Amino acid sequence: MTRAKTIPLPRPTALSRPHWDGCREGVLRVQRCAACGSYEFIPQAVCTRCQAGKLEWVESSGRGSVYSHTTVYRPPRPEFDAPYVVAIVELEEGWHMLTNLVDCTPEEVAIGLPVEVDFRAVSDEITLPCFRLRRST
Amino acid sequence: MPSSRSPLHDVVIVGAYNTRQARVLDQPELEVLWDAVHGALASAGLPLSAVDGVNVTSSVRRLNAREAVMMFGARPSWTGNEIGIPAVIEAALAISAGLCEVAVIATAQAAEYTDRAATAPWTRPSNEFVECWGLFTPAEFALMARRHMHLYGTQPAALAEVAATIRNHGARHPEAVHHGRFVTPDEVLASRMIADPFHLLDCAITSEGGAGLVLTHVDRARDLDVVPIHLLGAGTDKQGMAYVTAPVWDRYGEVGRRAGEQVFAQAGLRPSDVDVLEIYDPFSFEIIRQLEIFGFCKTGEGGDFVMDGRIAVGGELPVVTNGGLLSFSHAGLAQLIQKPISAVQQLRGEIPDALKVRNAKVALTSNGGSGALFCDVLLLGTELTA
């Protein structure tokens, strides 16, 4: 499951730049509402839970579990090497994000398995927050 | 009786028409669009000169409704902006409010999908939080289906039963892109995997074509020699931007439930009053989900509900009788209005005998779905239930 460098890369916006800068620095950043404390991802201008508080960037532990997953066999573009695993990860703090699970086979993946962030640099600017299975050692 | 009369009850659909549909149409797009407009008006028995409301667009040429007014001799005074079922609601409200009397909704797509190395352009959302993961619409909906299977034990065989049932409806429809292409559930399960749990035959086809609807005031329709189809109720449920936010089942999986409840309340009907479901079928699983959220069965029971021929024509609750997105066509924005169109054709009996639902009086239609974070619902009937 190697990634070709020609896949479409994120183009950070003013709103999302702290997230992508964090990934490059090896930190998973997410917004949290100063009023209700709920986590917000993808980046928003207003808290989607309470619509009241200011959203602040905080660090996530980068640990969570597989919430749902699918293995893609027919990629949307030829630049992607199929098969690859797309997952929704539920972070320890209770928020969700889309990602790829790397360094595992499709057969190994199941809902509920523990995972951790695995940053993969794909360009000078962009590092992708992939996830890998947390294997007991 | 409905709790209050809706302005939608002043309006009827009098024309419904599909142009030729094909995997790739070799016709100029505006020619297909013109066919959609004229076909819909012919179905209504109305001349072009009667049209004073327009929502006519195209996919590749990107014709918009205000440009399209010129195609009607610059006579129309009202233009719509919505797509799909919301376009029907919008036009109906304009008619009810007296802004126009006869509205045409038509759209066409031709020669858009030419790069076959990639999946169809409309399946590939471009966004910084999805595109880099190799996400596309089948994967977005697969993430929802997987969660449902995990929570409720929904089986791949149930998904395959839905896909085979709908595809076999289309196989019997001469206008379907996949006419003649019958499949068994085993063949669905044996087709190549796209994004598990979805096999190729669980997914909508890609195709092109046009479609049109004509709406008018119920009073005006009395002068026409057609069977008017009443708008019994409508609702929309929008939960955010599709294909940007993670499709989390626990937050978005029941999108459309509140729209369905609204629709039945407006109509004064219950799910058991519905004769046929022309609901949105981008992927097999979405039928199972919608049977649950619209109240035809309990949450988690959709997988069992669809088995044993229940949702086939001739069964207890026929679903997607023209073959839908899985077999009939999946063209541009036309596919969205093709849901109400197939409902109108079914309620009028304008469908091949093999696919007719006998004495069908009430049809439920929908657009959108769980992976798309929106679901629009429209209930149609041969008579006002108010």
Side-chain angles (χ1 to χ4, degrees):
Chain A
M1 269 186 261
T2 55
R3 318 195 118 262
K5 292 205 170 175
T6 49
I7 63 164
L9 295 181
R11 293 172 297 279
T13 64
L15 189 61
S16 68
R17 188 163 294 283
H19 170 75
W20 294 114
D21 285 351
C23 291
R24 200 177 55 236
E25 296 157 16
V27 174
L28 187 63
R29 282 199 195 115
V30 60
Q31 289 175 306
R32 189 174 62 187
C33 176
C36 74
S38 72
Y39 288 81
E40 197 67 65
F41 195 82
I42 57 172
Q44 301 286 350
V46 187
C47 173
T48 65
R49 295 281 178 185
C50 74
Q51 296 85 52
K54 181 176 161 50
L55 292 171
E56 302 168 330
W57 286 97
V58 297
E59 287 185 17
S60 163
S61 72
R63 285 193 302 270
S65 59
V66 176
Y67 176 84
S68 192
H69 62 92
T70 178
T71 301
V72 175
Y73 293 85
R74 190 326 182 194
R77 297 168 182 273
E79 293 82 5
F80 288 97
D81 289 328
Y84 52 91
V85 178
V86 174
I88 300 173
V89 166
E90 182 171 296
L91 279 298
E92 283 178 339
E93 300 89 3
W95 58 285
H96 298 85
M97 70 175 289
L98 287 162
T99 188
N100 287 144
L101 293 187
V102 294
D103 292 342
C104 62
T105 63
E107 294 74 26
E108 287 179 281
V109 180
I111 288 176
L113 288 182
V115 293
E116 62 194 353
V117 69
D118 184 340
F119 292 107
R120 299 281 172 108
V122 288
S123 73
D124 289 345
E125 188 191 16
I126 294 298
T127 293
L128 296 177
C130 301
F131 279 73
R132 62 174 173 247
L133 298 178
R134 261 190 287 155
R135 300 172 197 269
S136 46
T137 49
Chain B
M1 291 294 285
S3 50
S4 64
R5 185 180 161 79
S6 163
L8 298 174
H9 298 162
D10 294 334
V11 181
V12 286
I13 298 175
V14 287
Y17 175 76
N18 292 311
T19 71
R20 184 170 72 90
Q21 313 287 312
R23 187 158 186 254
V24 176
L25 272 182
D26 50 3
Q27 259 175 297
E29 188 177 72
L30 294 187
E31 193 178 297
V32 179
L33 181 63
W34 204 221
D35 179 26
V37 167
H38 280 272
L41 284 167
S43 156
L46 280 164
L48 193 81
S49 58
V51 177
D52 57 357
V54 167
N55 184 349
V56 171
T57 61
S58 80
S59 293
V60 182
R61 160 70 176 74
R62 296 196 178 282
L63 184 86
N64 67 55
R66 287 184 61 187
E67 282 183 277
V69 162
M70 301 306 289
M71 296 167 76
F72 295 82
R75 278 184 298 266
S77 55
W78 180 84
T79 56
N81 294 301
E82 288 283 5
I83 61 173
I85 284 172
V88 176
I89 299 170
E90 178 190 41
L93 294 177
I95 291 166
S96 177
L99 302 184
C100 60
E101 190 180 45
V102 174
V104 172
I105 302 165
T107 184
Q109 177 209 27
E112 176 165 2
Y113 184 16
T114 49
D115 173 14
R116 293 280 163 173
T119 56
W122 56 89
T123 68
R124 291 185 273 121
S126 153
N127 179 273
E128 60 180 318
F129 297 107
V130 302
E131 199 176 20
C132 59
W133 307 123
L135 267 161
F136 62 144
T137 47
E140 296 267 358
F141 280 82
L143 289 166
M144 285 288 193
R146 169 71 64 207
R147 189 75 192 171
H148 191 274
M149 294 167 95
H150 172 74
L151 289 173
Y152 305 113
T154 311
Q155 295 298 307
L159 275 60
E161 180 85 9
V162 171
T165 301
I166 294 174
R167 284 174 174 272
N168 290 337
H169 291 162
R172 283 180 272 165
H173 198 306
E175 293 174 28
V177 174
H178 279 202
H179 177 233
R181 291 166 72 168
F182 292 88
V183 300
T184 65
D186 284 344
E187 285 169 332
V188 175
L189 292 170
S191 63
R192 68 188 165 91
M193 197 65 96
I194 300 297
D196 71 355
F198 295 149
H199 299 262
L200 178 68
L201 298 181
D202 285 300
C203 303
I205 63 171
T206 57
S207 57
E208 302 190 319
L213 281 168
V214 181
L215 280 70
T216 191
H217 197 279
V218 65
D219 294 337
R220 175 70 187 270
R222 289 198 186 96
D223 306 331
L224 303 175
D225 187 24
V226 297
V227 176
I229 300 302
H230 295 265
L231 309 184
L232 305 182
T236 66
D237 194 351
K238 316 282 194 188
Q239 301 200 350
M241 276 304 289
Y243 316 131
V244 181
T245 311
V248 174
W249 174 268
D250 295 68
R251 192 163 183 185
Y252 306 110
E254 298 218 321
V255 63
R257 181 182 284 281
R258 58 187 178 180
E261 289 167 355
Q262 197 172 53
V263 162
F264 284 116
Q266 287 168 17
L269 294 177
R270 294 174 299 177
S272 57
D273 296 314
V274 176
D275 300 305
V276 58
L277 300 183
E278 301 295 344
I279 54 180
Y280 206 61
D281 57 332
F283 303 97
S284 52
F285 167 70
E286 276 303 304
I287 297 298
I288 291 170
R289 191 191 77 87
Q290 289 176 90
L291 288 166
E292 295 178 5
I293 62 154
F294 294 146
F296 294 95
C297 61
K298 294 200 177 97
T299 300
E301 293 180 358
D304 291 336
F305 187 91
V306 298
M307 302 304 285
D308 305 321
R310 184 184 259 155
I311 62 167
V313 171
E316 182 187 321
L317 190 63
V319 163
V320 193
T321 59
N322 72 343
L325 309 186
L326 290 160
S327 174
F328 183 82
S329 189
H330 182 204
L333 299 175
Q335 43 98 9
L336 296 169
I337 58 169
Q338 279 173 338
K339 291 303 176 190
I341 288 172
S342 57
V344 168
Q345 292 179 334
Q346 186 62 262
L347 294 173
R348 284 179 167 188
E350 296 168 355
I351 184 159
D353 275 347
L355 296 170
K356 255 179 207 161
V357 176
R358 304 291 157 194
N359 302 315
K361 292 186 171 60
V362 177
L364 186 69
T365 75
S366 65
N367 287 166
S370 60
L373 273 55
F374 82 93
C375 186
D376 302 325
V377 188
L378 178 67
L379 191 66
L380 300 174
T382 52
E383 52 197 68
L384 257 192
T385 46

